[in-house]
Amino acid sequence: MSDKRSALSALSAAEKAAVLDELLAARPDLRQPAEAYAARLLTGADRSAVAGDVKDALQGLGIEELNTRAGYRPGRGYVHPAEAADEILDEVLQPFLDDLKRRAGFGMRSAAVELAAGIMLGLYNCRHGNSETLLEYSPDYAAERASGVVSDCARLGIELPTVELLDLMPEWSAMLH
């Protein structure tokens, strides 16, 4: 049994998806419990956990990340460190935004609200760029992206918990009104 457990844990996400597809094709009786579990995963979102994940992802990028993006780039010209920092930070934030759109698209409104609130709180906790992180090179990044999240939510029909967020993010009250 331990060999199978280690083999499964060694698989990539795509390989695990293929295993699940094959298992469900071979065992249709497992489809209903699998669907129920998938729905639980998608409908659950922990605002504070998301906020921590966003903060960790954005603050976890050191300035050495700029070495491959800033400066003169053949075919592109000169890339300012702030522009390169924004691009790298956007790449890290994008999966959270994609997840927000995905959940909203599936009609999972409460999960989307919690996810959006978590993204906003994570960005708020990054509003003061720490030295030695990419946020130092892009001091307005968090506020600019949070404004984008507010716009995305409006477009997706997600109503942010404004009263709660105003208490937690007083410096961004103008953005939330």
Side-chain angles (χ1 to χ4, degrees):
M1 190 67 147
S2 64
D3 288 341
K4 290 180 183 177
R5 201 173 291 137
S6 63
L8 282 175
S9 63
L11 296 177
S12 70
E15 291 166 331
K16 286 179 183 178
V19 168
L20 179 61
D21 287 344
E22 289 292 322
L23 182 61
L24 292 176
R27 295 275 314 271
D29 59 303
L30 294 177
R31 180 161 296 284
Q32 186 176 1
E35 289 283 350
Y37 184 71
R40 272 199 320 273
L41 282 176
L42 285 172
T43 57
D46 180 348
R47 181 185 305 182
S48 60
V50 171
D53 290 346
V54 168
K55 179 183 174 190
D56 291 346
L58 295 175
Q59 289 184 347
L61 297 166
I63 57 175
E64 64 277 356
E65 300 282 336
L66 291 176
N67 293 341
T68 60
R69 302 278 189 98
Y72 178 76
R73 297 287 164 239
R76 187 168 173 196
Y78 180 77
V79 178
H80 192 276
E83 180 184 353
D86 279 353
E87 289 173 5
I88 296 167
L89 290 164
D90 281 346
E91 289 169 8
V92 170
L93 184 62
Q94 193 60 49
F96 296 98
L97 301 175
D98 291 344
D99 195 19
L100 176 64
K101 290 173 188 157
R102 179 175 62 104
R103 290 181 195 221
F106 281 116
M108 299 172 174
R109 295 285 177 218
S110 62
V113 167
E114 289 302 304
L115 187 61
I119 293 169
M120 294 288 293
L121 289 169
L123 287 166
Y124 187 76
N125 292 331
C126 293
R127 70 192 180 284
H128 304 296
N130 297 2
S131 61
E132 303 302 319
T133 72
L134 285 185
L135 292 165
E136 176 183 12
Y137 286 86
S138 190
D140 297 328
Y141 182 84
E144 289 171 358
R145 294 316 180 271
S147 178
V149 170
V150 170
S151 297
D152 287 348
C153 287
R155 189 175 36 70
L156 294 168
I158 299 168
E159 191 172 323
L160 286 168
T162 307
V163 173
E164 293 173 48
L165 292 178
L166 284 170
D167 287 342
L168 297 169
M169 304 182 330
E171 291 178 34
W172 287 357
S173 61
M175 182 188 311
L176 294 168
H177 282 121

